[in-house]
Amino acid sequence: MGMTTLERADASAILGRLGVTPIINAGGSNTKHSGTRPRPECLDAMLAMAEVFVQLDEFLLAAGRAIADLVGVEAATITSGAAGGLVLQAAAALTRDDPERIARLPDADGSPNELIIQRGQRFAYDRLYRLPGARLVEAGSETSCTPEEVEAAITPRTAGIIDVQSPFKDEGMVPLSRLAEIAHRHGLPVLCDGASMLPPRGNLTAYVDAGADTVSFSGGKGIRGPQSTGLLLGKREWVEAARLNNAPNATVGRAQKVSKEEIAGLLAALEAFLAEDEAAETARYRAEMAALVEELAGVPGIRAFVAHDRNHPIPQAVVYFTEAWRGPAGPEIQRRLMAGSPRIYISTLGRADVTVDPLNLQPGEREIVAKRLRETLMEASRG
Ligand SMILES: *Cc1c(COP(=O)(O)O)cnc(C)c1O
């Protein structure tokens, strides 16, 4: 057999040899800080799948069906991260199930190739919608958009409407259910990006229920599957059109390959994710973050609190800088923690405040983060 006995690999040996210093990840599932830890069930399934061969189309179809059944939606397929899902959502909107259009991408001239996006929902990854040949058309302004403005942007060249479900991206924008009503009246799909909005687990079906035709989720964020995976779920015809544009076919999605190990890993991770008790998980995160907030008591010029709402999908500790703060803004606090020892990553979400996310904290790390954050803020507060 092809089996060899190996020494158990050692992360500090791997990093030491390369001269790379690990970080404590107290900032959440951000890809640049390596996402999340894959669940043991996920890694186990990946190892097992390394020993067998399958016809990849069959395996992808079957895994997609299993995921759709687990979640309770019409259809699902597996993508190379939520970002890969965005490419496929756009491709599906451009081609539907037409084999000739699928074969022509990224040349999308001659048939509807425009996707409408609300200006206030533009984000760094929206270029991915353009990869298969789509053009983005904006509706509304940075801070507001009305249903009338969305509808006025629709022309015979429109192929779909984008909806971004992400922290701080909904203020002043047209809600998903309203977008869907407009889109469907014009025979158009709604392409929803919900990448980072898990947990809560209810979001797996909430956006579809609100009218999204497909939703792209990360497999490597809250689900804790392989970092390189995502899942695209929703209405059968649009998920199928996305799958036809995806690897392993020689199509526009071919560079977004997902291996049999990753497919099995995502399925196993999703099962474990769904089996977890969300109320207990939330209570645990809340207690961890409350303890961290307590540790920051007495730092002058800040207000620290636990936030758990639409913009903080799991309980997070937010440090808000008040008028009395004399130190530098959030990004500089973030930089100092990353430059310290141990290196600690916290999030700023590009805003003035800083956020600690419990998702990736290992036992004992919350105490270290609290202590270093307190020291860093105390020193910074002296101006
Ligand atoms: C994380 C994220 C993505 C990309 O997801 P990956 O799974 O890392 O490819 C896309 N859109 C939004 C809003 C995200 O937060």
Side-chain angles (χ1 to χ4, degrees):
M1 301 290 290
M3 306 279 288
T4 39
T5 319
L6 297 172
E7 291 275 322
R8 201 72 213 274
D10 173 350
S12 44
I14 294 170
L15 293 180
R17 184 177 144 208
L18 299 175
V20 172
T21 309
I23 62 175
I24 291 179
N25 184 334
S29 58
N30 181 299
T31 297
K32 279 194 179 171
H33 300 89
S34 29
T36 47
R37 274 172 306 134
R39 292 172 193 272
E41 294 88 342
C42 163
L43 295 172
D44 200 34
M46 290 180 78
L47 273 178
M49 272 310 292
E51 301 301 325
V52 297
F53 286 88
V54 289
Q55 159 73 38
L56 205 66
D57 286 320
E58 285 175 15
F59 191 49
L60 255 178
L61 270 171
R65 264 195 308 274
I67 288 177
D69 289 346
L70 268 174
V71 172
V73 288
E74 260 183 47
T77 194
I78 292 157
T79 64
S80 60
L86 304 188
V87 176
L88 297 176
Q89 285 180 307
L94 299 181
T95 65
R96 304 193 175 216
D97 64 354
D98 179 348
E100 281 172 28
R101 288 194 207 169
I102 292 171
R104 271 202 299 130
L105 291 190
D107 176 356
D109 294 342
S111 50
N113 64 355
E114 293 181 356
L115 299 174
I116 295 172
I117 184 166
Q118 299 176 83
R119 186 182 294 185
Q121 292 199 338
R122 297 282 324 245
F123 66 123
Y125 298 165
D126 66 25
R127 69 195 66 221
L128 296 168
Y129 292 116
R130 292 165 44 213
L131 275 192
R135 265 173 28 87
L136 295 185
V137 171
E138 291 183 350
S141 73
E142 287 281 319
T143 51
S144 90
C145 187
T146 64
E148 292 71 28
E149 285 172 314
V150 171
E151 191 142 21
I154 297 175
T155 74
R157 294 184 303 280
T158 307
I161 302 182
I162 292 164
D163 174 70
V164 182
Q165 295 290 333
S166 189
F168 305 105
K169 279 293 186 189
D170 69 332
E171 291 154 33
M173 300 294 113
V174 180
L176 171 56
S177 55
R178 202 63 214 284
L179 274 187
E181 183 267 309
I182 296 166
H184 295 158
R185 196 146 36 74
H186 291 269
L188 298 168
V190 173
L191 293 55
C192 176
D193 178 0
S196 68
M197 301 299 271
L198 300 173
R201 289 159 182 75
N203 282 347
L204 277 169
T205 50
Y207 306 142
V208 172
D209 290 345
D213 293 271
T214 52
V215 188
S216 187
F217 287 110
S218 290
K221 293 183 178 171
I223 295 172
R224 291 178 50 203
Q227 241 309 276
S228 46
T229 60
L231 53 115
L232 187 69
L233 50 78
K235 307 269 168 59
R236 189 166 286 113
E237 62 170 310
W238 296 110
V239 171
E240 180 60 10
R243 189 188 68 82
L244 293 172
N245 276 289
N246 200 7
N249 305 314
T251 52
V252 78
R254 177 59 181 81
Q256 304 181 184
K257 161 157 91 171
V258 180
S259 71
K260 60 184 165 37
E261 293 81 8
E262 293 168 312
I263 295 167
L266 177 61
L267 180 57
L270 182 66
E271 266 180 313
F273 173 68
L274 288 171
E276 224 162 51
D277 178 346
E278 188 163 299
E281 176 190 72
T282 303
R284 201 168 62 240
Y285 288 151
R286 186 177 282 284
E288 285 288 323
M289 293 299 93
L292 182 130
V293 162
E294 217 165 282
E295 194 80 16
L296 301 178
V299 176
I302 67 159
R303 198 160 63 79
F305 54 95
V306 179
H308 185 210
D309 53 33
R310 192 198 171 281
N311 294 326
H312 306 87
I314 63 173
Q316 295 170 333
V318 177
V319 176
Y320 177 81
F321 299 101
T322 70
E323 305 266 284
W325 175 248
R326 295 181 182 289
E332 174 60 17
I333 302 298
Q334 182 191 46
R335 195 196 62 74
R336 289 182 190 180
L337 280 164
M338 197 56 138
S341 180
R343 303 173 83 194
I344 296 173
Y345 165 60
I346 59 169
S347 168
T348 61
L349 291 172
R351 296 157 59 89
D353 45 7
V354 296
T355 304
V356 177
D357 185 304
L359 180 69
N360 288 328
L361 291 179
Q362 313 258 35
E365 290 184 343
R366 186 262 300 159
E367 290 82 349
I368 298 170
V369 173
K371 180 170 171 288
R372 286 289 302 134
L373 181 57
R374 183 187 172 80
E375 286 167 5
T376 306
L377 288 170
M378 269 303 195
E379 196 188 314
S381 74
R382 294 191 273 271

